[in-house]
Amino acid sequence: MRIRLLRSTSRLNSNPYSSLPPSASSPPHPLPPLCMKKLKQTHARLIRDGGVGDTLTAGKLLADVVAFGPSNLGYARAIFSSIKPPLNTFIWNSMIRGLAHGSSPADAVALYNKMLAEGYSPNNYTFPFVLTACANLVDAAATPGLGLAVHGTLLRRGFEDFDPYIQTALVNFYANSGSIDTARHLFDRCRRRDVALWNALIRGYAQSCRFSEAVQVFRRMQDDSDRIRGDEITTLSVVSACAHLGALDLGRWIHSYIGKNQMRLTVNLGTALINMYAKCGEIEAAFSMFDEMPHKDVRTWSVMIGGLAIHGHAREALLLFTEMKTMGVTPDSVTFTGVLSACSHAGLVREGLRILEEMKTIHGVSPTIEHYGCAVDLLGRAGRLEKALELIKGIPMDLDVVLWGALLIACRAHRNLEMGEMAAKEMLQLDPQNAGALVFLSNAYASVGRWDKVEETRETMKERRIQKPPGSSSVEVGGIVHEFTSGDPSHPEMNQIYAMLDEISRLRSAQEPRHVAGAVSFDMDEEDKEQCLAQHSEKLALAFGLLKTRPGTTVRIIKNLRICEDCHSVMKLASEAFGRTVIVRDRARFHHFRRGSCSCGDYW
DNA sequence: GTAGGGTTAG
């Protein structure tokens, strides 16, 4: 399958949207910087006329400035500190509000504490602001104490039970602080639930990577007696959850729900849907939607480029990147992650390195550790391990686990034990609990018969109580997502699944006699080889999908780890033998298996 | 006079 970008390439130098009606679009950037200028003029006039000395007037000015967003925080602070006491609650609230959305939300909490210390009384407006600040703290999960104290204060003052804004802010705070179950508890206790409260919980689950529960909450919202209708924000969160889950049927349903409820297909929604289709394996649907969007912002382009990248359509991703720039859209840090990952999945080493270089020199976007990670991945996959290591050594910032992890994966793929061992040790220095590094070491030592080292590594894992990440795969059959875990026999139809696996294995030995089930030459996959290869979760999902869908139907599998060589070849075989398209999304990318071969060209 | 919920990558 090729993405047909011919229309796109031929329109590189023209604006294809000029002929389209603007009705289905959002207005482009509505920010009016001129008004800020007007506010400053008002301020000047107030100073001249002496009106700024009036607390009420100064408060209004402050609130207006804050409403413009965090870019004017310095100015807001100056106004705030020029107001002579006694202040009123409105002024405190406005300043806390401004700080809560700024780069240092801790300042908002500090100001709130100062307000209390000086004997001012917070009101029902104060708490949503300060709770938002607590939720926005850089590491909200590590410092829940501030928000908990705010919660205590508002309870003591009798606020919790009647104000929906405070309740929503609380749910949001707990969800952001890693306590989604507490958030749920509060939600369940609320008697009147409006759409924002539902949204806070849905997003909370999504943010905690509990996507199925996010979807469940959305379904419950549909059935709720209050008959609350979802809005754009609800839809954005749910579509995003579908993308993570790979739940195509549900995603399509939401798409039609948008139509049925006469919701406007805004740039944001369109972008979320494009992302959903791409992440659910429907790259062509994603592309045609992209093509039809009359207005696109940087996210729309980034999502499409990233989507093409994970499907291995690197050339198309690069073409789109060029087109984006031609259209005057400035690429950002996320765009470059997509572009670099496109290069990486297709082995376009030279292009990738050039783009990494040009990020800074031409586009003024400083590479982050993630971009370097992509570059290490790019070199590593292509087998240029020494060059990857050299790149790592030249990185002008603190190295992280992900970066060494990229090298580790490359070492695993290219059987470089020595460098892999080094990378794993670096990872363990940064994160002693890193399961991936320890599993690698254990498998790698086993592969060369270093049983003493194997034993030592396993002991370490036991001592540190590290669990191997279980491989799990899901397959959607009739709108229901079935999940399988490696070696877990608990599925009620396991006998049939095993029978199907046996059949595949017979087909296989007939075709490739050297591949007797379970025999592998080199023992360095992501999953532990103690578990029989035959029971890798994607094989269970494949067997189930083949059994439960009509002949000719595409089988779609989502897997949490990278697919191993053995499973990859089984998928190829099954696509041929059963005449099926099998689409597997693993941790890194998509594999489309058709007629015995894979879209990745065995490069992954 | 002021408020809560937002999509993209790794």
Side-chain angles (χ1 to χ4, degrees):
Chain A
M1 178 198 63
R2 305 298 294 169
I3 302 295
R4 285 179 294 278
L5 277 176
L6 291 175
R7 273 190 45 227
S8 315
T9 40
S10 63
R11 70 184 187 215
L12 277 180
N13 295 313
S14 65
N15 182 348
Y17 311 130
S18 50
S19 59
L20 290 167
S23 58
S25 61
S26 315
H29 314 292
L31 277 181
L34 279 176
C35 295
M36 193 63 215
K37 200 171 157 193
K38 274 195 178 155
L39 269 181
K40 288 193 174 169
Q41 285 167 353
T42 310
H43 191 188
R45 204 167 47 243
L46 285 172
I47 294 172
R48 195 185 58 209
D49 304 344
V52 78
D54 172 45
T55 314
L56 293 181
T57 312
K60 181 79 178 85
L61 180 70
L62 175 65
D64 287 347
V65 170
V66 161
F68 273 98
S71 55
N72 297 298
L73 260 185
Y75 185 42
R77 278 183 201 262
I79 297 172
F80 179 79
S81 50
S82 74
I83 303 173
K84 295 195 176 49
L87 305 181
N88 59 35
T89 303
F90 178 65
I91 291 171
W92 286 105
N93 288 351
S94 298
M95 196 63 231
I96 292 169
R97 173 192 177 194
L99 293 168
H101 295 282
S103 55
S104 172
D107 291 351
V109 187
L111 192 68
Y112 156 83
N113 284 325
K114 186 160 182 261
M115 172 188 184
L116 297 191
E118 293 186 12
Y120 289 95
S121 291
N123 63 13
N124 53 319
Y125 289 92
T126 316
F127 293 109
F129 293 141
V130 69
L131 285 168
T132 300
C134 294
N136 288 350
L137 291 171
V138 182
D139 200 351
T143 50
L146 293 174
L148 288 172
V150 175
H151 192 178
T153 304
L154 72 89
L155 280 181
R156 279 196 301 280
R157 291 170 184 253
F159 278 97
E160 184 191 24
D161 283 323
F162 61 81
D163 191 316
Y165 287 89
I166 291 177
Q167 293 181 335
T168 305
L170 278 170
V171 167
N172 185 47
F173 159 70
Y174 282 106
N176 261 16
S177 311
S179 308
I180 179 67
D181 296 323
T182 307
R184 177 57 181 259
H185 183 66
L186 286 170
F187 174 92
D188 285 338
R189 280 180 34 205
C190 293
R191 271 160 300 171
R192 286 207 352 253
R193 299 173 186 142
D194 63 8
V195 67
L197 185 63
W198 284 99
N199 289 346
L201 189 67
I202 291 171
R203 197 206 71 107
Y205 276 119
Q207 215 225 346
S208 314
C209 292
R210 287 163 60 168
F211 303 108
S212 314
E213 282 152 292
V215 169
Q216 275 167 28
V217 173
F218 172 69
R219 289 205 158 117
R220 222 184 101 193
M221 180 179 172
Q222 307 302 110
D223 300 338
D224 195 77
S225 54
D226 291 345
R227 306 187 74 78
I228 302 284
R229 268 227 192 140
D231 62 7
E232 184 183 357
I233 295 173
T234 324
T235 318
L236 281 172
S237 301
V238 180
V239 171
S240 157
C242 290
H244 281 278
L245 289 168
L248 179 61
D249 285 352
L250 182 63
R252 281 186 179 135
W253 185 83
I254 309 265
H255 192 171
S256 65
Y257 173 91
I258 292 168
K260 272 185 229 146
N261 286 280
Q262 281 135 31
M263 291 168 75
R264 238 161 42 100
L265 192 60
T266 58
V267 175
N268 286 342
L269 263 183
T271 303
L273 285 169
I274 291 168
N275 180 50
M276 184 276 294
Y277 281 118
K279 294 285 166 57
C280 290
E282 292 291 285
I283 188 66
E284 289 193 316
F287 192 77
S288 63
M289 219 182 147
F290 174 82
D291 216 24
E292 282 162 20
M293 289 224 342
H295 287 284
K296 306 172 170 75
D297 65 9
V298 62
R299 287 180 177 206
T300 320
W301 289 93
S302 301
V303 156
M304 195 63 241
I305 290 171
L308 289 167
I310 50 171
H311 284 273
H313 299 297
R315 291 287 170 201
E316 290 82 354
L318 290 174
L319 269 175
L320 222 54
F321 178 57
T322 309
E323 187 184 348
M324 165 187 189
K325 291 183 286 183
T326 314
M327 302 290 287
V329 181
T330 311
D332 68 6
S333 175
V334 178
T335 320
F336 283 105
T337 310
V339 174
L340 289 171
S341 99
C343 295
S344 164
H345 289 309
L348 305 177
V349 177
R350 278 233 312 264
E351 282 91 334
L353 291 179
R354 183 175 52 80
I355 287 164
L356 181 72
E357 185 59 36
E358 289 179 0
M359 270 182 76
K360 186 79 193 278
T361 53
I362 298 182
H363 302 285
V365 180
S366 300
T368 64
I369 195 83
E370 286 83 9
H371 297 111
Y372 287 115
C374 287
V376 169
D377 193 48
L378 171 77
L379 287 163
R381 268 180 220 272
R384 312 226 345 232
L385 298 175
E386 293 296 338
K387 179 93 175 137
L389 185 59
E390 195 183 303
L391 181 101
I392 289 179
K393 288 182 174 158
I395 293 175
M397 53 185 78
D398 288 341
L399 303 178
D400 71 359
V401 179
V402 183
L403 196 84
W404 287 111
L407 186 67
L408 182 83
I409 286 165
C411 292
R412 192 176 62 205
H414 294 281
R415 322 293 201 223
N416 188 326
L417 250 150
E418 202 179 320
M419 197 185 285
E421 187 180 17
M422 188 268 285
K425 286 183 173 163
E426 292 285 350
M427 288 169 81
L428 290 168
Q429 287 254 315
L430 293 164
D431 172 18
Q433 298 293 114
N434 193 289
L438 286 163
V439 171
F440 170 86
L441 285 177
S442 166
N443 286 338
Y445 291 138
S447 74
V448 289
R450 295 282 306 274
W451 302 110
D452 53 329
K453 287 281 200 180
V454 173
E455 192 51 35
E456 190 186 310
T457 312
R458 298 220 165 127
E459 276 307 308
T460 309
M461 291 182 78
K462 241 185 250 167
E463 274 164 28
R464 297 182 193 168
R465 296 187 182 174
I466 296 169
Q467 304 265 320
K468 284 162 267 174
S472 80
S473 298
S474 57
V475 59
E476 203 182 33
V477 173
I480 296 168
V481 177
H482 297 259
E483 191 164 337
F484 295 89
T485 309
S486 283
D488 173 14
S490 67
H491 195 279
E493 293 170 85
M494 209 39 119
N495 284 340
Q496 287 182 64
I497 293 174
Y498 283 145
M500 178 53 103
L501 286 175
D502 282 344
E503 188 180 338
I504 294 173
S505 147
R506 267 197 306 279
L507 286 166
R508 195 179 193 195
S509 359
Q511 202 176 65
E512 332 164 49
R514 66 191 176 84
H515 265 298
V516 183
V520 278
S521 52
F522 200 82
D523 218 7
M524 283 169 70
D525 287 305
E526 197 155 35
E527 281 177 80
D528 199 304
K529 286 297 162 58
E530 279 174 71
Q531 289 162 345
C532 180
L533 276 174
Q535 294 188 19
H536 270 180
S537 58
E538 58 269 53
K539 288 205 188 93
L540 303 178
L542 170 72
F544 188 74
L546 290 172
L547 281 166
K548 291 292 167 184
T549 54
R550 280 203 300 267
T553 314
T554 298
V555 178
R556 300 161 188 279
I557 296 168
I558 310 276
K559 158 147 189 149
N560 67 336
L561 304 173
R562 284 163 198 262
I563 189 166
C564 79
E565 267 180 48
D566 190 69
C567 289
H568 196 265
S569 67
V570 164
M571 299 285 165
K572 288 203 278 190
L573 181 101
S575 73
E576 172 104 299
F578 296 92
R580 299 282 199 121
T581 297
V582 181
I583 303 178
V584 179
R585 182 181 95 183
D586 76 3
R587 219 167 88 137
R589 61 166 296 155
F590 273 92
H591 303 260
H592 296 252
F593 298 93
R594 280 190 193 91
R595 291 187 285 280
S597 63
C598 180
S599 62
C600 75
D602 300 334
Y603 184 86
W604 84 94

